[in-house]
C-alpha cells in the first residue's frame, strides 16, 4: 500500500497508534454497459471501490482522477458527488490507525480511456461487475455502490456505522440516530 508522504510525516510526529482523521475519495466508475469497476485490495484481498487519500491542497475531484488512473490506468469523467460518509476506524496492516471522511463520486470512463488493469501494488485484481451481481464486499461499500448507480440526485450521508445522517435545515446541523457524539460524551458545538 502506497502511503502519502504527508501521512508518513504525521506518523513520524504522532506515532502509529494515534488515530488520524483523513479526507478520502471513493470512485464508483461505470462503463458503457453499466458495469462497476472494482479492485481486490492487496492489503486484505477484499473487493472494494477505488479509493485514496486526498493530498494537502488537492481538490477531491482531482484526487479521483489521480487515484483511479494510478490504480487502474483508466481515465474518468466525474459525474457527481453521491455520498459523504464517515468510515469506521481502520486498523491497517502496517499498524496505522485512521478514520476517513469519505467523498464518493459517480464516474464514467472517459472516451478513449485505456482498458482497466492492475496498475500499482494496491490491487491484486481489477474487474468490471454488473451492479446486481457484485462480489462479496463490505456492506457499507455495497450501499455506496448501490446509491451511486441508482441515479438518485440526493447525496447520501451516513455515520461510521452506516446509519443515515439527517440534515436539520433550520438549525444547520447534522444529526444521526442514535446520536453517536452524545453517546461518546462529546458535546455539539
Amino acid at each position: 500500500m502506497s502511503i502519502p508522504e504527508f501521512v508518513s510525516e504525521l506518523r513520524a510526529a504522532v506515532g502509529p497508534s494515534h488515530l488520524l482523521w483523513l479526507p478520502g475519495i471513493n470512485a464508483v466508475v461505470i462503463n458503457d454497459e453499466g458495469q462497476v469497476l472494482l479492485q481486490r485490495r492487496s492489503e486484505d484481498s477484499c473487493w472494494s471501490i477505488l479509493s485514496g487519500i486526498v493530498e494537502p491542497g488537492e481538490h477531491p475531484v482531482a484526487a479521483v482522477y489521480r487515484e483511479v488512473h494510478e490504480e487502474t490506468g483508466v481515465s474518468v469523467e466525474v459525474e457527481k458527488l453521491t455520498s459523504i460518509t464517515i468510515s469506521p476506524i481502520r486498523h491497517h496492516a502496517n499498524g496505522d490507525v485512521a478514520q476517513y471522511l469519505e467523498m464518493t463520486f459517480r464516474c464514467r470512463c472517459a472516451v478513449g480511456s485505456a482498458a482497466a488493469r492492475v496498475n500499482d501494488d494496491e490491487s491484486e485484481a481489477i474487474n468490471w461487475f454488473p451492479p446486481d451481481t457484485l462480489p462479496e464486499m463490505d456492506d457499507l461499500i455495497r450501499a455506496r455502490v448501490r446509491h451511486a448507480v441508482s441515479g438518485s440526485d440526493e447525496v447520501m450521508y451516513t455515520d461510521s456505522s452506516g446509519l443515515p445522517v439527517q440534515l436539520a435545515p433550520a438549525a444547520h446541523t447534522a444529526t444521526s440516530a442514535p446520536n453517536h457524539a452524545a453517546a461518546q460524551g462529546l458535546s455539539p458545538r
Side-chain angles (χ1 to χ4, degrees):
M1 179 173 83
S2 183
I3 299 173
E5 185 177 335
F6 85 96
V7 174
S8 296
E9 291 170 358
L10 280 171
R11 283 287 168 225
V14 300
S17 61
H18 183 84
L19 176 66
L20 292 184
W21 172 253
L22 298 168
I25 57 85
N26 297 274
V28 178
V29 180
I30 304 168
N31 66 14
D32 290 339
E33 291 79 39
Q35 298 172 314
V36 177
L37 185 60
L38 299 177
Q39 71 175 151
R40 190 168 60 219
R41 297 184 305 237
S42 298
E43 183 177 34
D44 58 12
S45 294
C46 293
W47 284 100
S48 187
I49 51 182
L50 303 164
S51 62
I53 297 172
V54 181
E55 300 277 347
E58 182 180 38
H59 193 282
V61 171
V64 169
Y65 297 142
R66 177 180 54 76
E67 287 289 346
V68 172
H69 192 267
E70 283 176 4
E71 294 175 8
T72 69
V74 171
S75 296
V76 296
E77 297 171 3
V78 172
E79 292 184 334
K80 66 179 285 183
L81 175 70
T82 60
S83 65
I84 299 175
T85 57
I86 298 171
S87 76
I89 294 173
R90 306 273 187 217
H91 296 269
H92 294 284
N94 67 358
D96 283 356
V97 180
Q99 189 168 30
Y100 300 91
L101 172 64
E102 303 166 315
M103 296 162 277
T104 303
F105 295 86
R106 184 174 65 214
C107 306
R108 291 251 173 227
C109 288
V111 174
S113 178
R117 64 184 182 276
V118 172
N119 205 40
D120 66 13
D121 64 351
E122 293 185 36
S123 303
E124 294 177 352
I126 299 288
N127 208 346
W128 294 98
F129 294 91
D132 56 347
T133 58
L134 297 174
E136 186 176 324
M137 66 174 54
D138 180 275
D139 289 338
L140 298 176
I141 295 169
R142 184 178 302 277
R144 281 184 273 154
V145 171
R146 285 188 177 145
H147 184 73
V149 301
S150 74
S152 173
D153 287 331
E154 298 292 321
V155 175
M156 178 177 75
Y157 302 94
T158 63
D159 65 15
S160 61
S161 62
L163 293 172
V165 173
Q166 301 300 320
L167 300 182
H172 300 289
T173 62
T175 60
S176 63
N179 185 333
H180 292 290
Q184 295 174 2
L186 303 174
S187 60
R189 294 184 188 246

